[in-house]
Each structure stands twice: as structure tokens, then as C-alpha cells.
Amino acid sequence: MTVKEIFDTMDYGPAPESAGDALAWLVDQGASFGHFINGEFTAPTADFESKNPANGEVLAHLSQATQADVDSAVMAARAAFPDWSGMSSHHRARYLYAIARLLQKHSRLFAVLETLDNGKPIRESRDIDIPLVQRHFYYHAGMAQLMASELPDREALGVCGQIIPWNFPLLMLAWKVAPALAMGNTVVLKPAEYTSLTAILFADICRQAGLPKGVVNIVTGDGSVGEKIVTHEDIDKIAFTGSTSVGRKIREATAGSGKALTLELGGKSPYIVFDDADIDSAIEGLVDAIWFNQGQVCCAGSRLLVQEGIADRFYAKLKARMANLRIGDPLDKCIDVGAIVDPVQLDTITSMVAANTAGETYHAPCDVPEDGCFYPPTLITGLAPSDLLMQEEIFGPVLCSMTFRTPAEAVEIANNTRYGLAATVWTENVNLALDIAPKLAAGVVWVNATNLFDAAAGFGGIRESGFGREGGWEGLMAYTKPKAETEALDKIEAFPGDTSEIGSIDPLDRTPKLYIGGKQARPDGGYSQNIYGPDGQLLGQSPIANRKDVRNAVEAAAGAKAWSKTTGHLRAQILYYIAENLAARSEEFAARIDSLTGGNSGAVEVDVAISRLFTYAAWADKFDGQAHNVPIRGVALAMREPVGVIGAICPDDTPLLGLVSLMAPAIAMGNRLVLAASEAFPLVALDFYQILETSDVPAGVVNILTGPHADLAGPMADHLNLDAIWSFSSSDLSGSIEAKSAANLKRTWVNNGQDRDWLGDAGEGREFLEAATEVKNIWVPYGE
Ligand code: NAI
């Protein structure tokens, strides 16, 4: 295009970025790469190619890691772990700082290489991806520095296996590697097979920074290499970003292994435009929401919900804007939409859109290059919430849309998805925005903005968008564990009966029942079991709950959702009230515990339980969120929200305290609960519901079931309306619970057969409050 033509058309002329340095770097390295293990590159085996999706050219040959490669990477990481985790916080901070500096110095090389390999516009890799990568390492250099003083009770997990996708290759690496290293872990990372090049360049940066050998190891290859990492016995944690289907497989594959797990999965995020929104800004926002990175963004605003009254005007303006989007050579600085990562992904997008018969499809009339992986910006209007394209992630530049009438309807449609990653709200009415944001089922909400990210604000989803957060203080939880020593837990058996004692029970003994929806309920199956004391004497019967009772209890808990909206102050009052009522009957409870367990620590247990209720009453209105100081004109409000309905299998050994230790933090944070009481000593839990009944706990907030844990765990882990499951049972259930939880990717917190001192400090504290809450980051414009 000549200057005259540009002048005549007022169009942009091409402004190509040179690929010279990046291509020279590739040639310098032989354009064939091995794995980065123990600080060195292995000999390349050239098993597959990395191509430029914009023109199909081969950029480099890559090696597919074998089991032996993965083994040596893990071994190197393990060997490096003691020194790396043992060095001073400051010393580690200096390494992270050095990496950040080097990333900055080579920022253009990284940006161009990323664009060549992935197809994203250079404008994005240069101005968004790479600066965010640097920011992540700087921020976490700070976290490394502060670890000793701010997280004195936490320590590194060990060797972390990290598996990342192709949509933000280096950024996802940074999100995983920076916090892991800052907290003293060592890593084995696998980039996606389409986009490994910036990870390899990063390995070189680690060498330049003098990072001790083995702290970062990078192996390349496809999903089968990922599987080798996931199932490796000597890995302590898996962090994964990618598709929900692979996330689910990883949940199943790691079940029962004791590995920590975080999953950052797919989304179908709503983008809600109210009729009073600044329409032009909202349309510009959409360009960033769905055409940023060709829509290959897990949190892309891919479901547009427009208020009915402005829909026609909005769509007309949107189409006009779409017609002006420039699609083409990603290295051209004037390009808005680059190439799709690979022909496979292009096929997926093309066939999903082609198969759709609902609504009206509009492809932007852009000049789409004929060669290379390009797909035009597309808008599909007039869809219904149940249409496949409103439910399934397309992961391409395709915006699916429908209208709504009222704010309540907008929330209803927005939440009508199995995902819960992000949401965007456009309105000039701050009251409306702040009313809607908390109602949206999402880990991140942007108000009058979209796709904002920062290292200080945690990112991650709820529901089938996965669990765990990346960034912020909350992100550190995923790379640390409590320092407390633990020991193997033995199965706590109920006492057997002595038949000569049968008949000793008081004929006026009451019939303990299950406690469901604020009412005493007979077990559905009509079975009870005898509970014997240490001398074989019959102490009473406890009901045996079945699958139907679990369902009833979950339904009751789901119905008690008003509890999650109550104030911390009110929840504190109720916890104090429970403590007060328990204190009034402490001798009776102590005696009951001693008669059940045959011990003499009942009085201590009741005392600690009362103190624990006080602890969480205290926390109910103090476990606050934060206002993150993010580098935009705004703040990110990190609000702590209850997880929802939690199924909790109580410890067997301290039958009252164990139950209180799980119940109190959960309800203090606004959750509703289905509790499976101690299997060996259930009767005290059935006395305890009398305390709940007299303490103003609303019906359905706490439900108590008794029976064999092994029979209750399955239906609980399977239940799609349970958001989380905790198990501290002495039965070996961790593996089966984790495997079954994959169905709806519910959060799990299980003991992995490790004991916990419920009478001591390990029985309470922040760990419980963290598990009982989920952080939602609400980004709001603020200040200047
Ligand atoms: P994917 O989930 O298959 O791949 C992501 C990473 O996991 C890659 O490194 C891959 O090699 C690895 N992987 C694949 N199978 C594995 C296994 N069984 N065990 C361990 N690691 C495994 O994603 P893919 O195929 O690249 O894209 C398919 C769809 O996934 C996309 O269309 C999109 O809907 C979604 N996706 C979502 C992302 C997100 O950020 N939420 C990122 C990438 C893809």
C-alpha cells in the first residue's frame, strides 16, 4: 500500500515487525531442540514440527519426551528441591528478579517468537503477553522475598508437574513457574505441542540467570508426555491449564495419589450489556473479549447477552465494528485478528459453526487470507440458552448472542452453564453493576472492562472451570502446604457388642434420627445399627443413611441458600449461640463421648469444641477479602465467597470435636453442609443436632447423616449439586472420592490417610477458612 493509497482510503498501511532476530535465534540453535533437564538441553530427536500457523512454515523440530526423559527431569527436580526450598527467601527472590530482568531485556525476541509460533497478533504478544510475563516474575520475586515473614507456617510442596496450553504459551508458563519457584518448589513443565518455542527460550533465560540446575526442567511433546508427568510417582503436585475434558482425566488419574492438584479449565463466559451501557465502549470491549487472541482465551466473553431494548442498535454497531477488524499476518502491527493456532483447531471451529442451525450467522466481511489458519470474526445472534453454541466452548473468534429483558433474567441466563470462569458487566449504573457482580457464578468479574489480568489478582474459576487460583496471595496456597508434621492414620473401629449385655438399654431410650432440613428424619432404608461401648454394652442405635438420604440432605442444603447471603455478624452470633448451648450441656456431652470412646478426654474435647466455635465466630466477620492495587485505573476487589454446599465426612476419633472442626468454619463462611458423622462413634452427633435446633441455625444449613463412611462417600462425591467434598474419615476413601468428584469437578479436600491432631492447632485455622471460601475478583474502575 502506497502512502497515497493510505491517504485516499484513510486505511492503515502494513507495519510489519521483522522476524529476523527470532528466526536467526532459531537457526543459531540448529532449529531442533531437545528437552531442558538439569540445566542442560538433551540431544534433539526431531520427532515433530512446530509450525507458523500464519503460513504453515516449519519453525523448528521438537523432541517427544520418553518415559526416561520424564524420569530424569523429575529426578533432577527432586535433587534440586532441598537446596532450592532451603535457601533464604531473599536468595530465591534474587533469582526470580534476575529472570524478570532478562525477560525484559529480551522482550521483543520473546514477543516475535510467540507470534511466529502461535499466530497471535504481535500487538498482543508485545503489549500484553510478554509484559504480563515480566510482571508475574517481578511480583513473585516479591512473594519469594516475603515468604519467610508472611507465610511462616507454610512450606513448599516439592516437585510440581505443570502442563500448559497453547493459547498463551509463555504467559501460562509464567503463571505456573513464578509462584512455584517463589515458594521453593522445583518444576517439570510441559508446554503444548503446538507452541513450545518460547518455553525453550525461557529455559535458556534460566541458564543465563544462573538458576541452580534442576529447579526448572522443560520436556516437550504431546498429551502422552502430559500423562507421564501426571502419573509420575515422585511428583507432589500437578498444575494444569487446558480443556475441561483433559482436566477431568487428570483428576481421575491423580485420584488417591496424594498429589495436590489445581485445574484451570474452559469457560463460556457471559458478556452482559445493559440498556444504559456506553454502547461504543461495550463494543470496543467485545473486540478485546472475543477477538483478542482469535477468541482462543479460556475466559473469552463468548456469550453476549444484550438487553432487549438496545439489541438492534447494538448488533448494527457491532457488525459495523466487525467489518473494520483487520485479519491477517500476525507480525503486522496493524492487525487485530491473527491466525488460529493450528489446522486442527481451525477445523474444530469451522465444523462447530457449520453444524449450527440455530440463530443467524454473520461473518465479518474482512479480507481473510487464503493460506494459513484464519477464521473471520463471527457473530451468531438469536440463540437460546440451551443451544449447543451457547453452552460449548468454541475457542475461536465466534461470538454467540441472545437478548434478555430484566437484570434477574440476565443473571439467570449468565449462570446457565456448567462453567464459571469469568463474566463481564456493562452498565453506567454502579448500583446495578455492584448488584449483579456478586450474583454471577464466576471466579472473575469485570465491570465496564474485560479481559484484564494482573499478577496481584488471583485468576481461576468455579464449577467445571476448575479449582485453585493463579496469582495474588491466594495463588500461593496452591504451591505451599502447612508445615505441620503428620502421621499415618489407623482405621478407628467401632467396639464390638457383647451379647450377654443385650437388653441393658433403657426401654425409654429415644430414637436418634438423621437430621435433614432442620427436621429429624428416619433413614430412608429403615435400617439402624447397634452402637456398643468399650465393654460391649449396647449404648443405642444409630440410623444408617443411604443414597436417598444423601440426596435429601443435599436438597435441603441447596434450599438453604439464604444462609450464604447472611452477614458475617449474624453467622458469628449463631456460632456463639451454638457454643453457649453446648457449654450448658458440656458435662452430658463429655460423659457421652467417654462412654462411646472408652476414653476420659470427653471434657477436654467439649472444651476445645466450644473454643473452636468461638474461633470461627470470631473469624465469621473477619476473614475478609482484599482490594488489589492492580496497575490499571481500577481496583480488583477480591471477595471471599462461600464455596456453596459442602459434603464433609467427619473424623472418627474425636466424634464431637471433629464434627465441630469441619462444621464451624464452613458455616462461618456461609456454606451449607451435609455432614457424615464419625462412623465409629456416631451417637454424639445425633445429640448435637439438639444443640443446633436450639441455636437458631436455619433449617437445611447443617444436615447430619450417620452410617458407614464408605457407603456415604460415593453418593456424596457423585452428587452434582455438591460443590465440594471434604473427608477426614479414618476409612481409606481419599482415592475414590477424588476419582468420583471428577464428574462435576467438585473441590476435594481429603486426608490421604494422614492423621491430624484435632485437639491441637492443626484442627483449626486459616487452612479451614481457605477451603471454605472461593475468591472472586471483581474488577471495578476506580480513581485515575
Ligand atoms: P488440551 O487440554 O488437550 O491440551 C492442553 C495441554 O494438555 C497440552 O499441553 C496437551 O499436550 C496436554 N494434554 C493433553 N492430553 C493430556 C493428558 N491426557 N494428560 C496430560 N496432559 C495432556 O487442549 P487442546 O487439545 O490443545 O485444545 C482442545 C480444546 O481445549 C480447545 O478447543 C479449547 O476448547 C480447550 N482449551 C482450553 C484452554 C484453556 O485455557 N482453558 C486452553 C487450551 C485449550
Side-chain angles (χ1 to χ4, degrees), residues 465-544:
S465 291
F467 41 77
R469 292 290 179 267
E470 297 192 301
W473 289 98
E474 58 267 32
L476 304 181
M477 292 301 118
Y479 285 102
T480 54
K481 61 179 184 195
K483 275 184 180 161
E485 292 283 309
T486 56
E487 284 175 15
L489 173 62
D490 292 328
K491 171 94 173 99
I492 315 260
E493 302 284 359
F495 293 114
D498 176 349
T499 39
S500 65
E501 295 282 340
I502 297 281
S504 64
I505 203 161
D506 181 345
L508 261 188
D509 181 53
R510 67 189 181 89
T511 312
K513 304 198 186 75
L514 305 173
Y515 186 59
I516 297 178
K519 295 199 180 83
Q520 301 181 23
R522 287 186 197 284
D524 171 74
Y527 287 105
S528 295
Q529 70 185 113
N530 287 340
I531 303 298
Y532 302 101
D535 302 327
Q537 74 278 29
L538 184 63
L539 298 177
Q541 277 87 22
S542 87
I544 300 180

Side-chain angles (χ1 to χ4, degrees), residues 410-491:
V411 171
E412 189 82 14
I413 301 170
N415 291 345
N416 183 351
T417 165
R418 63 197 167 104
Y419 296 115
L421 193 50
T424 302
V425 180
W426 287 85
T427 168
E428 291 297 284
N429 179 349
V430 66
N431 298 316
L432 181 60
L434 298 182
D435 177 50
I436 298 294
K439 293 179 180 160
L440 294 170
V444 187
V445 178
W446 294 290
V447 174
N448 291 332
T450 201
N451 269 344
L452 300 175
F453 311 99
D454 184 56
F459 182 89
I462 60 169
R463 299 180 172 176
E464 293 187 30
S465 291
F467 41 77
R469 292 290 179 267
E470 297 192 301
W473 289 98
E474 58 267 32
L476 304 181
M477 292 301 118
Y479 285 102
T480 54
K481 61 179 184 195
K483 275 184 180 161
E485 292 283 309
T486 56
E487 284 175 15
L489 173 62
D490 292 328
K491 171 94 173 99

Side-chain angles (χ1 to χ4, degrees), residues 250-261 732-741 748 750-753:
I250 293 179
R251 167 70 293 180
E252 282 164 1
T254 53
S257 65
K259 288 188 179 86
L261 177 65
D732 178 17
L733 301 173
S734 301
S736 64
I737 286 176
E738 288 184 330
K740 280 176 188 269
S741 74
T748 56
V750 296
N751 59 3
N752 287 312

